[in-house]
Amino acid sequence: MGPVMCDPRSLIEGLNPQQEEAVKYYGQALLIGAGAGSGKTRVLTRRIAWLLAHGFWASSILAITFTNKAAAEMRERLVTLVGPEAEHMWISTFHSACVRILRRDGKEIGLKSGFSIYDTADSERLVKLIAADLNIDTKRYTPRMLLGKISDCKNALVSWKDQLKKANCDYTPGQRGYQVSAGDVDELVAVVYAEYQHRLALANAVDFDDLIMRTVELLQTCPQVSEYYRHRFRYIFVDEYQDTNHAQYVLVRELSGIDSDEQPDPQARGAGRVGPSWITVVGDSDQSIYAFRGADIRNIQDFEQDFPNAKTIMLEQNYRSTQTILDAANAVIAKNENRKPKKLWTALGQGDKIVGYAADNAQQEAGWIANEIARIHTEEDVAYRDIAIMYRANAQSRSLEEAMINANLPYQLVGGTKFYERREVKDAIAYLQAIVNPADNVNVRRILNVPKRGLGARAEGLVAGYADAHGLTFFESIEHMDQIEGMTGRTTKPLGAFRDLMHELADFAKEHDSKPSEVVAEVLDKSGLLEELQRSEDPQDASRVDNLSQLQSVAAEFEQNTPDATLAGFLETTALVADSDQLPGEGEDSGKVTMMTLHTAKGLEYPYVFLTGMEQGTFPHQRAMEDTSELSEERRLAYVGITRAKRRLYVTRAAVRAQWGQANDMMPSQFLDEIPDELIDWKRREAGVERMRASWGDDDEFGGWDDDDDFGSTSFGGSMYGSSTYGSSSYGSGSRGSHPTYGSSHGSHSSYGSGRSSYGSGSRRFSGGSHSGSSSYGSYGSSRSSYGSGKPSGKSGKVTTRRAKPKDLTKSAPASSLDGNNGLSISDFQIGDRITHDHYGLGKVIETQDKGANSVITVDFGTDGVKRLLLRVAPIEKL
Ligand code: ATP
Ligand code: MG
């Protein structure tokens, strides 16, 4: 390997002065801190190329990116800029860089070569074993939760020894018969952590977080090793620095040798061979979205203090997006407190307006998006690869995927497994398969110990062996378990329980064959699948719970669409979707619409972006409704999402979103309100159901029928449940313009206060009610509890959302919490007015937003916090 030669001037061509300054900056520490799309990543890449072009060695450079995909892209660009020399550079994520370091030098800290890296499933299995040995109640303290706590420790570089000290606990790893004091979580975590590390060491293994933490340990305890890397990596680059956690921050510091007393060589060009390395970090504190993984925004904020003589260069010109998109992004992020305002402008002109669409439900939202994609592809000649659909949570991808499949549009799902390939969904479907066909050995075996019920490999082996020997199916062999040799009570008991469970489920399924959604609910409940996930505190498990809710919704949908629905029929359709799912494949060449979560979208850009599910409780996520710091993080995520768009941004929402096969009314996302109204061209501003609700309070005609709406279009007709069906049946049957007779639901908000936890409650219904009612939007859900046709599928026992019962809709419409109208008018409220609220008491109006029927009033209730209220249903009185 040698230095490359290319004309350095070509590398700064077309850059603006700040970008050029950053590329050429000659000094030890540089922060390029700037807004989205201002060329940070581009400048970072050019700066590396600049060094190479000036004869610095590729092997002296370490570049850290946030994902492997980003690393591959940067490498590719560098190869284009400076030639194949760039292929040998270390461009990687933190984790891959650490693997390389530990593979080479891990022996210094006791890692033998060929150590294994545990993935989450392995780690969980290990924690589970430990918990069993320590007699820990894993129902109360799930392995996932314990692992999450251990991970938090590692992200903060708290060792197991520190943690034991903190918990004031004298446990020795490997010790037998230790009793953890009941209820002392700190001690519990400390002991499990200690034992976990002990057993990892015995297994010559590390987990994901260890990769960083143990590398830091290596560098801090072995001077010869840290010296080696310090002398090797003279130039360190970190992209997306705002999302580094403490461990990663310390790692960068250690690698750079900033804390060593080695003096730089005054004669040396560049970083020379001694002294601290040069470090360039790039980031945008407004795009920090990984707090839940320990990302610490202070790392970027304190860069100038942390690295002496650091230079900061701000980039102000955005090259990615139109002014409209930037204005929207700027307006949203401006609502976050404690941030440095940034100037961001673009020379690309105003561009198209943002396109808004309010759908009746998630299916219709997806259908509209698919139609629009097909339309712009044909009419505006937009390539599929230039389009991306983004969503807050993976569970939302299901309806979108189906719409894409139905419309025959090519798509690829980035990050996250496809819906039917997701573990928890596969597990649930395996139960259904096993019920329908007990001879399906693969699926029976899959669920034998899922959720874990003490039927491990040994038990499985015994049953399988007997089945083989006697020509029986696996399940038949279970039925003969008392004839199987070698069975102990520890096996026969759970095995018997499993057998009985499957019989019960099969009986239930027979009785409810035409109601797959109820069978799904029963399986999720009785199998314990749901319970296991709900107990976990891992955010990933929350999204797994969402996925199971989606599965139940799919079943409900199927039921409604299929005249003679059966469970077997339902399973067939899921298998078919899974098949056609595979067609697009992953692969580099796209030609496909890209679908991904907002977290995955960081750093990427697309000419056309659809931001979907813009609803309170979906995005911002439910958890953020009560917590300002979480809300700020959600807003940064919105900023990331908006700024992915280059040419045109779409924002869509659904008035009703199904969770657990039940329809929930969804309020528009506050982020939609934060985008200046004149920037959005609403193709449909209010969903049909919302207009109806809004009009019930008035005595005059239905409002708003006269715009270019598309009721009865195919996508609308495809809506399946909840109020959507009710909407389509009433619109479709020619009742336009005449008052529907849904008197029963009107005025139901008078039961205010009885069921406040209901709004958007799907995600927290099982949390033991701890969140109930404290959300400001909870107040919209008031009437739900008065409509209790559904049975609760959770443990809290309270029916807070309505069950989709479309077949009855012709008789009586479902009540909706948003149906009410208290006759208040937004024009009667001024900022500063004092009001009283039935629940929160006295408050002061701090903001009013006139949106017709959906006007919102923001009230400061002092210690109860600031609440956004939908005026027409808010139980308030002006003083
Ligand atoms: P993010 O905050 O989203 O990570 P970023 O600041 O890293 O964004 P880049 O992705 O580097 O921004 O650049 C955004 C877009 O602008 C890219 O398409 C890039 O090629 C283009 N771009 C950046 N600088 C220039 C320039 N001087 N001339 C032309 N295009 C540019
Ligand atoms: Mg970038």
Side-chain angles (χ1 to χ4, degrees):
M1 281 191 274
V4 295
M5 291 303 159
C6 94
D7 182 1
R9 274 170 309 175
S10 69
L11 297 173
I12 47 172
E13 243 163 57
L15 298 186
N16 67 41
Q18 294 84 5
Q19 290 181 325
E20 183 176 333
E21 185 190 5
V23 167
K24 301 202 297 201
Y25 178 71
Y26 196 84
Q28 201 256 317
L30 173 65
L31 164 67
I32 306 168
S38 55
K40 294 183 299 296
T41 303
R42 184 182 169 112
V43 164
L44 194 76
T45 313
R46 294 286 175 105
R47 185 163 160 77
I48 295 170
W50 178 262
L51 290 174
L52 295 173
H54 282 83
F56 294 93
W57 295 75
S59 56
S60 68
I61 291 169
L62 170 66
I64 302 286
T65 57
F66 209 74
T67 60
N68 291 313
K69 184 174 191 272
E73 268 177 31
M74 187 175 288
R75 187 184 306 280
E76 234 168 79
R77 296 227 172 101
L78 281 167
V79 169
T80 319
L81 290 171
V82 298
E85 179 64 19
E87 289 190 16
H88 307 292
M89 266 176 42
W90 276 43
I91 308 177
S92 67
T93 62
F94 274 113
H95 286 107
S96 335
C98 288
V99 172
R100 287 179 79 172
I101 294 174
L102 289 175
R103 288 265 179 242
R104 185 184 177 275
D105 297 299
K107 54 187 177 306
E108 304 291 339
I109 51 166
L111 281 174
K112 292 188 263 313
S113 70
F115 63 84
S116 24
I117 301 168
Y118 273 16
D119 68 11
T120 316
D122 301 327
S123 299
E124 245 173 66
R125 214 166 297 137
L126 184 53
V127 170
K128 180 102 192 175
L129 287 171
I130 293 167
D133 289 352
L134 288 166
N135 279 320
I136 292 167
D137 175 5
T138 46
K139 292 221 169 85
R140 197 151 160 222
Y141 307 104
T142 63
R144 242 159 224 277
M145 179 269 243
L146 293 167
L147 213 50
K149 302 258 186 231
I150 293 172
S151 178
D152 290 345
C153 288
K154 291 181 176 180
N155 287 337
L157 290 181
V158 176
S159 72
W160 60 269
K161 285 181 189 154
D162 300 338
Q163 191 63 24
L164 279 176
K165 244 181 254 150
K166 245 197 204 164
N168 214 353
C169 167
D170 59 359
Y171 180 76
T172 321
Q175 185 178 333
R176 300 270 147 195
Y178 186 89
Q179 270 302 322
V180 183
S181 350
D184 188 339
V185 181
D186 278 349
E187 184 190 1
L188 182 75
V189 171
V191 170
V192 174
Y193 183 16
E195 189 60 28
Y196 175 76
Q197 289 310 109
H198 176 64
R199 299 204 192 178
L200 277 177
L202 288 178
N204 192 30
V206 294
D207 69 12
F208 240 61
D209 301 309
D210 278 342
L211 291 174
I212 314 283
M213 183 162 174
R214 303 228 53 199
T215 305
V216 169
E217 177 193 337
L218 173 70
L219 295 173
Q220 286 180 338
T221 55
C222 303
Q224 76 285 9
V225 174
S226 62
E227 209 166 295
Y228 169 81
Y229 286 103
R230 199 158 68 237
H231 288 182
R232 163 145 199 196
F233 296 127
R234 303 307 295 149
Y235 303 92
I236 299 173
F237 298 82
V238 186
D239 198 0
E240 307 281 2
Y241 189 66
Q242 75 279 356
D243 279 318
T244 49
N245 61 34
H246 180 70
Q248 292 164 332
Y249 163 75
V250 173
L251 177 69
V252 169
R253 260 190 108 78
E254 291 298 334
L255 284 171
S256 76
I258 194 83
D259 301 312
S260 86
D261 16 311
E262 211 179 58
Q263 288 308 307
D265 173 4
Q267 303 297 313
R269 201 168 60 100
R273 305 217 30 195
V274 288
S277 314
W278 283 17
I279 169 158
T280 304
V281 305
V282 155
D284 176 2
S285 43
D286 287 334
Q287 293 185 64
S288 172
I289 53 175
Y290 278 96
F292 68 91
R293 277 207 226 144
D296 191 345
I297 211 162
R298 281 174 307 183
N299 289 343
I300 194 163
Q301 286 165 348
D302 296 348
F303 184 79
E304 292 179 41
Q305 282 103 291
D306 288 344
F307 292 86
N309 305 320
K311 163 96 177 166
T312 299
I313 295 178
M314 295 296 291
L315 309 178
E316 287 173 359
Q317 181 171 0
N318 171 296
Y319 288 90
R320 178 181 293 148
S321 312
T322 64
Q323 193 63 52
T324 298
I325 292 165
L326 274 193
D327 287 347
N330 288 339
V332 170
I333 198 66
K335 297 274 178 191
N336 267 5
E337 284 164 13
N338 303 324
R339 59 180 284 279
K340 271 197 220 147
K342 279 200 237 30
K343 290 175 264 170
L344 209 55
W345 64 280
T346 176
L348 297 178
Q350 206 60 45
D352 293 350
K353 277 199 172 191
I354 295 166
V355 180
Y357 188 82
D360 283 5
N361 57 36
Q363 282 62 40
Q364 199 212 352
E365 180 192 32
W368 185 81
I369 291 170
N371 279 345
E372 179 66 6
I373 288 174
R375 189 189 70 75
I376 59 176
H377 178 70
T378 351
E379 292 178 12
E380 302 180 27
D381 217 17
V382 176
Y384 291 128
R385 66 163 178 280
D386 286 341
I387 303 171
I389 308 176
M390 299 172 189
Y391 35 84
R392 175 66 183 81
N394 270 315
Q396 289 164 253
S397 74
R398 208 264 315 159
S399 47
L400 293 164
E401 277 183 80
E402 279 187 5
M404 297 298 283
I405 291 168
N406 287 339
N408 223 343
L409 295 171
Y411 73 94
Q412 61 179 353
L413 208 71
V414 177
T417 327
K418 290 177 182 170
F419 183 74
Y420 289 109
E421 291 170 15
R422 290 180 185 135
R423 190 194 78 207
E424 63 281 7
V425 174
K426 280 183 94 131
D427 289 341
I429 288 186
Y431 269 96
L432 299 174
Q433 291 283 12
I435 289 168
V436 170
N437 176 17
D440 182 339
N441 289 343
V442 171
N443 277 310
V444 174
R445 289 180 75 154
R446 181 183 173 99
I447 55 171
L448 180 67
N449 203 27
V450 176
K452 306 235 166 65
R453 48 172 76 88
L455 294 172
R458 200 185 101 85
E460 193 185 341
L462 284 174
V463 176
Y466 187 85
D468 278 348
H470 295 82
L472 300 174
T473 67
F474 191 84
F475 195 72
E476 286 168 338
S477 174
I478 293 178
E479 310 252 32
H480 291 90
M481 63 191 221
D482 39 15
Q483 281 149 43
I484 302 177
E485 264 176 25
M487 286 275 180
T488 62
R490 270 181 67 175
T491 306
T492 50
K493 211 168 152 232
L495 202 55
F498 175 70
R499 177 198 56 204
D500 296 345
L501 168 71
M502 294 312 288
H503 282 305
E504 277 165 36
L505 288 175
D507 289 345
F508 184 92
K510 254 183 227 116
E511 282 160 36
H512 300 81
D513 195 41
S514 61
K515 293 264 184 315
S517 72
E518 292 187 19
V519 182
V520 172
E522 185 77 1
V523 162
L524 295 180
D525 188 8
K526 293 280 158 61
S527 69
L529 276 179
L530 203 54
E531 199 175 308
E532 185 178 58
L533 295 174
Q534 280 157 3
R535 283 182 196 279
S536 160
E537 287 189 359
D538 181 331
Q540 275 227 303
D541 280 341
S543 80
R544 295 205 170 97
V545 171
D546 288 352
N547 288 337
L548 290 180
S549 132
Q550 282 288 310
L551 182 66
Q552 196 176 326
S553 301
V554 183
E557 215 175 284
F558 171 79
E559 228 165 275
Q560 265 108 63
N561 284 349
T562 320
D564 42 11
T566 61
L567 180 58
F570 171 61
L571 286 170
E572 246 164 61
T573 62
T574 64
L576 289 178
V577 170
D579 272 348
S580 40
D581 244 8
Q582 320 253 311
L583 287 176
E586 291 277 314
E588 278 304 287
D589 158 52
S590 99
K592 291 164 198 147
V593 175
T594 308
M595 292 172 44
M596 67 194 132
T597 64
L598 286 156
H599 278 98
T600 313
K602 195 174 65 156
L604 307 178
E605 59 186 22
Y606 294 87
Y608 297 81
V609 170
F610 289 82
L611 283 191
T612 68
M614 300 291 288
E615 303 125 25
Q616 291 296 106
T618 306
F619 186 36
H621 193 278
Q622 190 63 45
R623 280 191 305 269
M625 316 260 40
E626 297 142 25
D627 181 324
T628 37
S629 77
E630 293 230 29
L631 184 60
S632 302
E633 175 124 334
E634 293 287 306
R635 198 177 273 115
R636 289 192 291 270
L637 198 52
Y639 176 76
V640 168
I642 295 169
T643 54
R644 295 313 93 198
K646 297 169 84 165
R647 215 165 301 156
R648 188 187 300 155
L649 175 69
Y650 289 85
V651 288
T652 64
R653 67 178 179 92
V656 173
R657 194 169 288 278
Q659 288 157 321
W660 304 104
Q662 307 186 357
N664 286 315
D665 291 330
M666 306 304 281
M667 273 287 293
S669 168
Q670 66 191 90
F671 301 147
L672 286 177
D673 296 341
E674 291 167 9
I675 299 175
D677 208 39
E678 66 274 12
L679 298 180
I680 309 185
D681 170 17
W682 286 101
K683 293 296 173 202
R684 193 172 184 235
R685 185 170 198 126
E686 277 176 75
V689 284
E690 292 169 332
R691 276 188 273 193
M692 246 184 200
R693 290 174 198 137
S695 64
W696 287 334
D698 310 335
D699 280 332
D700 38 11
E701 292 292 299
F702 263 171
W705 290 110
D706 44 357
D707 61 69
D708 57 342
D709 216 328
D710 58 353
F711 289 126
S713 76
T714 45
S715 60
F716 189 78
S719 57
M720 281 113 193
Y721 44 112
S723 25
S724 62
T725 307
Y726 118 72
S728 70
S729 62
S730 59
Y731 301 145
S733 61
S735 62
R736 249 177 194 238
S738 66
H739 261 293
T741 48
Y742 297 146
S744 64
S745 54
H746 175 52
S748 56
H749 73 282
S750 58
S751 65
Y752 176 82
S754 54
R756 297 186 53 261
S757 65
S758 56
Y759 177 79
S761 60
S763 59
R764 61 195 161 121
R765 194 136 37 90
F766 302 95
S767 57
S770 58
H771 290 284
S772 295
S774 43
S775 144
S776 56
Y777 279 86
S779 52
Y780 298 141
S782 55
S783 66
R784 286 293 167 52
S785 55
S786 61
Y787 182 89
S789 70
K791 65 169 182 145
S793 35
K795 299 282 169 221
S796 65
K798 199 157 80 178
V799 179
T800 50
T801 45
R802 67 170 177 261
R803 181 119 179 152
K805 287 197 103 186
K807 276 167 193 148
D808 299 332
L809 286 171
T810 43
K811 292 174 207 128
S812 70
S816 162
S817 54
L818 296 176
D819 291 349
N821 192 324
N822 50 20
L824 296 175
S825 163
I826 195 77
S827 55
D828 295 336
F829 289 86
Q830 310 288 331
I831 290 171
D833 280 357
R834 293 164 64 76
I835 59 115
T836 160
H837 185 283
D838 285 2
H839 180 74
Y840 300 116
L842 277 183
K844 202 159 100 188
V845 177
I846 57 173
E847 196 179 346
T848 62
Q849 283 163 301
D850 188 352
K851 294 171 172 289
N854 285 334
S855 292
V856 170
I857 180 167
T858 309
V859 184
D860 186 348
F861 289 103
T863 47
D864 273 334
V866 173
K867 312 283 177 198
R868 285 163 44 83
L869 307 168
L870 183 64
L871 184 64
R872 72 179 142 79
V873 294
I876 61 172
E877 219 177 294
K878 200 174 147 180
L879 295 179

